[in-house]
Amino acid sequence: MSRHCTLAVTVVLLATPSLGRAQPLQSFQDLALRVNLHDELRIEAPSGATTSGRLTSLGPEELVVATSDGERRLSGAMVGKVSIRRRALRTGVLVGAGIGAIAGALAGCTGEDREECADAPLLLGGLGAAAGAAVGALMPRTTVVYVAPSASTAPGAAPRRPGPLDAIGLHANLGDRIRVTDRSGARHAGRLTGLTGDTLTLEGEAGERRFTHEQVQQVALRGPAMGLGALVGAGTFAAAALASSSCRDNPDCQPLAVAAVGAGVGVAVGALVPRMRPVYRAEEPPHASIRPAFSRGAVGVRAIVRW
């Protein structure tokens, strides 16, 4: 009986909002909709002086960055232009994993000896994901996200009042997929289309919906879980190698090397299968409660005070 090997290659193009095509903001108060905590920023003052560092705090009127010389606080009037440097880790992982898997399939499934047809795409796909992550980390892109308006074009709108929902902007940007849990426990998923200190606007399947901060109980951000995927993949592959008798009896099978491949596979899976991460939870109002407590042979009272 002849042996056959079928190769199926699926190319998936992921359409994601492009930060590079977005027009720079002209409102310092909305800067949080384009940058997140720990982002690498390059800030140019109206005088031409530049400051580079990681964002540690951002408010409606000032920002704080951690530079090589320590923390520096800049008011909105001191900021003329803001550029952000972001590493394309997810894109690098997906591209590297795809190229590695295709190369492994071609090498393992098209030759005369096809014993490695099943393993080669997985092996080279994991190595490709790791290589893609390294390339993405080494090749960041810089995008201008804010340009201060000139005196002649400065808008005359009143300053935006800060509010509790401003904290969401430090983690999520316009266009990001989020999930809002309201006070009744109902969940609403969609893309973030607007955010102020007191209101949040979500574009879901049923259209655009606006939430006030009194209605919002929790907000979760949808993003890749590459770190968790790497840990799970490395642990799973290493455990499988240690449990396999064929690997234990094969001197060329090293659990540590298998774990590295598993980490690469896990990174690729984590990039493709995002998870929801809570980024905001409404503070519970102060309250006190008293409940009876029962145990074997004893009766008491449990008092809870929250403030």
Side-chain angles (χ1 to χ4, degrees):
M1 180 180 295
S2 62
R3 300 176 62 185
H4 301 277
C5 180
T6 302
L7 171 62
V9 178
T10 302
V11 178
V12 179
L13 297 179
L14 300 177
T16 57
S18 175
L19 184 63
R21 289 193 293 267
Q23 293 296 322
L25 295 168
Q26 286 194 321
S27 172
F28 183 84
Q29 294 179 332
D30 292 330
L31 184 58
L33 298 175
R34 295 284 176 83
V35 300
N36 298 326
L37 285 178
H38 312 302
D39 280 346
E40 295 182 14
L41 303 183
R42 183 177 183 273
I43 303 161
E44 184 176 333
S47 63
T50 60
T51 302
S52 298
R54 290 188 177 274
L55 181 68
T56 60
S57 178
L58 176 61
E61 298 179 355
E62 67 174 12
L63 60 82
V64 182
V65 291
T67 71
S68 57
D69 297 326
E71 228 175 35
R72 184 168 183 191
R73 189 179 301 270
L74 302 171
S75 67
M78 301 169 62
V79 177
K81 181 189 294 185
V82 177
S83 302
I84 184 172
R85 296 183 67 205
R86 280 187 176 154
R87 291 169 171 79
L89 292 178
R90 184 170 182 263
T91 301
V93 165
L94 294 178
V95 172
I99 293 175
I102 292 173
L106 292 175
C109 299
T110 58
E112 295 182 358
D113 185 9
R114 300 178 180 178
E115 294 182 357
E116 303 298 329
C117 183
D119 297 334
L122 190 65
L123 175 64
L124 292 186
L127 294 176
V135 172
L138 292 173
M139 299 178 62
R141 62 175 180 174
T142 302
T143 307
V144 177
V145 294
Y146 169 76
V147 176
S150 61
S152 59
T153 61
R160 181 167 64 82
R161 185 177 60 183
L165 296 184
D166 282 330
I168 298 173
L170 297 176
H171 304 278
N173 297 328
L174 287 180
D176 284 349
R177 289 194 173 273
I178 63 172
R179 184 180 64 206
V180 177
T181 304
D182 61 27
R183 296 283 184 173
S184 67
R187 293 181 174 182
H188 313 269
R191 291 191 180 276
L192 180 66
T193 57
L195 180 67
T196 69
D198 297 315
T199 61
L200 178 154
T201 308
L202 188 71
E203 179 70 33
E205 295 180 356
E208 200 168 66
R209 181 167 180 180
R210 181 172 172 270
F211 298 87
T212 64
H213 78 272
E214 292 91 350
Q215 297 173 302
V216 177
Q217 176 62 36
Q218 180 176 292
V219 175
L221 173 66
R222 186 173 183 262
M226 293 187 290
L228 178 62
L231 293 175
V232 173
T236 301
F237 274 57
L242 292 172
S244 172
S245 58
S246 59
C247 182
R248 292 197 303 268
D249 299 335
N250 185 356
D252 295 330
C253 180
Q254 300 294 329
L256 190 60
V258 174
V261 174
V265 174
V267 166
V269 173
L272 282 171
V273 184
R275 67 187 181 98
M276 286 291 183
R277 176 173 58 91
V279 295
Y280 171 81
R281 184 185 296 274
E283 295 184 1
E284 296 186 15
H287 69 274
S289 62
I290 299 178
R291 301 177 182 176
F294 302 96
S295 62
R296 183 176 298 179
V299 177
V301 175
R302 176 180 297 173
I304 300 176
V305 179
R306 188 183 301 275
W307 67 92

